[in-house]
């Protein structure tokens, strides 16, 4: 008897579990919320409005406000629960028996005949041979003999295979081995020193073979170019009661430096500009 009771309990559990597993699609994925209407609006809601209220106002996403603590209402109307989304393909192929019974072969659709390209080279050659050189004569010749390029003429696209030697090896050529003995014996340094010595000898021979010109004599034009005309120095005018007053500021270390600076100023006096002949940007 206890075994019979246990079997009944197991049967009830199995039925209960079976009922829980088999759920409809609407139970697993409930349909989306439908758009709001005037009847759904209650006092205190975010979308409560004053004045004339229409259902179309709650279908505009720019006007509808999200309720606090609730998912956002969509403003577009959706079909019912029984609507199936996606593309429905009707079984018109007959299924597996139809596929095994025969094989459908699609017939190639006829293509429009493509107009062949004119062979202007051949037409121009024929016109020149016929002695036609003017534009009018060429147009009449092309109307009379319209030569086209055939699709089967593949001389331009067809290329002969390059001739390769029979013992050719494909791939990248291996790098030559490093001459370690030349590196250890400083062979490259010796070659460089020999090249430098040969270059120096060639330069010396070239200098010896050059014609040594004589001494350049000074001509009248050279003397005139170097000549500096003497400048007559006029004494600056001083007020009588300031003539015997000595200088209060001396910026030269010694008297010799002062005389040297005054001499240089006198030599450049002729070419300097300005009122005091001290330069372009000096003022009295």
């Amino acid at each position: 008897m206890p075994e019979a009771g246990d079997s009944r309990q197991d049967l009830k559990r199995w039925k209960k579990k079976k009922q829980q597993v088999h759920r409809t699609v609407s139970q697993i994925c409930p349909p989306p919320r439908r758009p709001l209407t005037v009847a759904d609006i209650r006092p205190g809601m975010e979308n409560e409005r004053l004045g004339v209220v229409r259902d179309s106002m709650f279908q505009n996403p720019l006007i509808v406000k999200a309720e606090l603590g609730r998912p956002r209402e969509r403003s577009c109307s959706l079909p019912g629960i029984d609507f199936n989304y996606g593309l429905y393909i009707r079984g018109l192929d007959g299924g597996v028996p139809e596929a095994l019974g025969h094989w459908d072969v699609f017939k190639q659709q006829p293509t429009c005949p493509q107009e062949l390209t004119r062979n202007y080279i051949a037409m121009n050659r024929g016109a020149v041979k016929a002695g036609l050189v003017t534009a009018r004569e060429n147009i009449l010749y092309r109307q009379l003999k319209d030569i086209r390029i055939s699709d089967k003429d593949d001389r331009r696209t067809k290329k002969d295979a390059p001739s390769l030697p029979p013992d050719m090896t494909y791939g990248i050529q291996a790098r030559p081995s490093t001459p370690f003995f030349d590196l250890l014996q400083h062979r490259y340094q010796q070659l460089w020193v020999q090249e430098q010595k040969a270059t120096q000898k060639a330069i010396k021979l070239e200098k010896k073979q050059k014609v040594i010109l004589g001494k350049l004599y000074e001509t009248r034009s050279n003397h005139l170019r170097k000549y500096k005309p003497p400048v007559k120095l006029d004494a600056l005018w001083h007020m009588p009661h300031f003539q015997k007053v000595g200088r209060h500021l001396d910026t030269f270390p010694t008297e010799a430096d002062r005389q040297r600076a005054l001499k240089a100023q006198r030599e450049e006096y002729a070419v300097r500009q300005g009122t005091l002949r001290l330069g372009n940007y000096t003022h009295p």
Side-chain angles (χ1 to χ4, degrees), residues 258-277:
R258 181 174 177 275
Q259 295 298 331
R260 194 181 303 110
L262 291 175
K263 182 180 179 181
Q265 196 270 339
R266 291 193 204 98
E267 292 177 354
E268 297 177 358
Y269 186 82
V271 296
R272 285 182 177 271
Q273 298 180 3
T275 308
L276 300 179
R277 300 292 180 177

Side-chain angles (χ1 to χ4, degrees), residues 21-39:
V21 171
H22 293 282
R23 292 184 297 172
T24 59
V25 178
S26 60
Q27 293 176 351
I28 300 172
C29 299
R33 300 173 65 86
R34 61 183 179 82
L36 287 173
T37 58
V38 179

Side-chain angles (χ1 to χ4, degrees), residues 12-264:
K12 289 180 181 179
R13 290 175 184 173
W14 181 77
K15 287 182 179 180
K16 188 176 181 180
K17 189 181 295 184
K18 187 177 181 182
Q19 290 176 359
Q20 292 177 356
V21 171
H22 293 282
R23 292 184 297 172
T24 59
V25 178
S26 60
Q27 293 176 351
I28 300 172
C29 299
R33 300 173 65 86
R34 61 183 179 82
L36 287 173
T37 58
V38 179
D40 299 334
I41 302 301
R42 298 183 183 83
M45 295 181 68
E46 292 287 341
N47 292 292
E48 184 182 5
R49 301 183 182 281
L50 300 176
V52 181
V53 183
R54 298 181 298 274
D55 291 340
S56 60
M57 293 182 178
F58 304 106
Q59 296 179 3
N60 190 345
L62 301 177
I63 299 176
V64 176
K65 299 179 181 179
E67 297 289 341
L68 182 61
R70 293 185 180 181
R72 189 179 185 86
E73 300 286 349
R74 298 301 172 186
S75 58
C76 55
S77 59
L78 300 176
I81 300 176
D82 299 334
F83 180 79
N84 296 324
Y85 293 89
L87 179 63
Y88 181 75
I89 303 175
R90 300 183 180 276
L92 300 177
D93 54 355
V96 178
E98 190 73 17
L100 296 175
H102 68 281
W103 187 265
D104 291 335
V105 179
F106 292 95
K107 296 181 180 180
Q108 186 178 4
Q109 297 180 357
T111 57
C112 298
Q114 187 178 4
E115 187 178 0
L116 300 178
T117 309
R118 276 186 166 187
N119 193 349
Y120 291 98
I121 298 175
M123 288 189 290
N124 293 342
R125 189 188 303 112
V128 171
K129 289 180 179 180
L132 307 176
V133 292
T134 62
R136 178 65 179 171
E137 292 174 351
N138 274 278
I139 292 172
L140 296 175
Y141 181 83
R142 290 175 184 177
Q143 293 178 357
L144 180 63
K145 293 186 178 182
D146 190 6
I147 304 174
R148 303 281 178 167
I149 299 176
S150 177
D151 294 338
K152 298 180 181 180
D153 189 8
D154 57 348
R155 287 177 295 176
R156 296 182 180 180
T157 59
K158 186 178 180 181
K159 295 182 180 179
D160 298 334
S163 58
L164 299 175
D167 57 345
M168 179 179 177
T169 305
Y170 294 90
I172 302 174
Q173 187 177 3
R175 186 177 64 85
S177 58
T178 305
F180 287 102
F181 292 101
D182 293 343
L183 293 175
L184 295 175
Q185 295 174 1
H186 304 286
R187 177 65 178 170
Y188 298 104
Q189 179 183 358
Q190 297 173 5
L191 293 175
W192 181 81
V193 171
Q194 293 176 5
E195 290 178 0
Q196 295 299 319
K197 289 181 179 179
T199 305
Q200 294 295 332
K201 288 182 181 179
I203 293 172
K204 289 181 180 180
L205 290 174
E206 186 178 358
K207 288 183 178 180
K208 288 181 179 179
Q209 292 176 0
K210 284 186 177 180
V211 178
I212 301 174
L213 299 177
K215 184 179 179 181
L216 298 176
Y217 294 95
E218 295 289 340
T219 59
R220 181 178 174 80
S221 60
N222 292 340
H223 284 291
L224 292 175
R225 192 180 300 112
K226 296 178 181 179
Y227 176 72
K228 295 180 182 180
V231 180
K232 184 179 179 181
L233 300 177
D234 297 333
L236 298 176
W237 179 82
H238 297 280
M239 296 180 71
H241 56 279
F242 286 129
Q243 289 181 358
K244 297 181 180 181
V245 177
R247 59 181 181 273
H248 296 280
L249 181 65
D250 192 358
T251 58
F252 297 96
T254 60
E255 185 64 21
D257 294 336
R258 181 174 177 275
Q259 295 298 331
R260 194 181 303 110
L262 291 175
K263 182 180 179 181

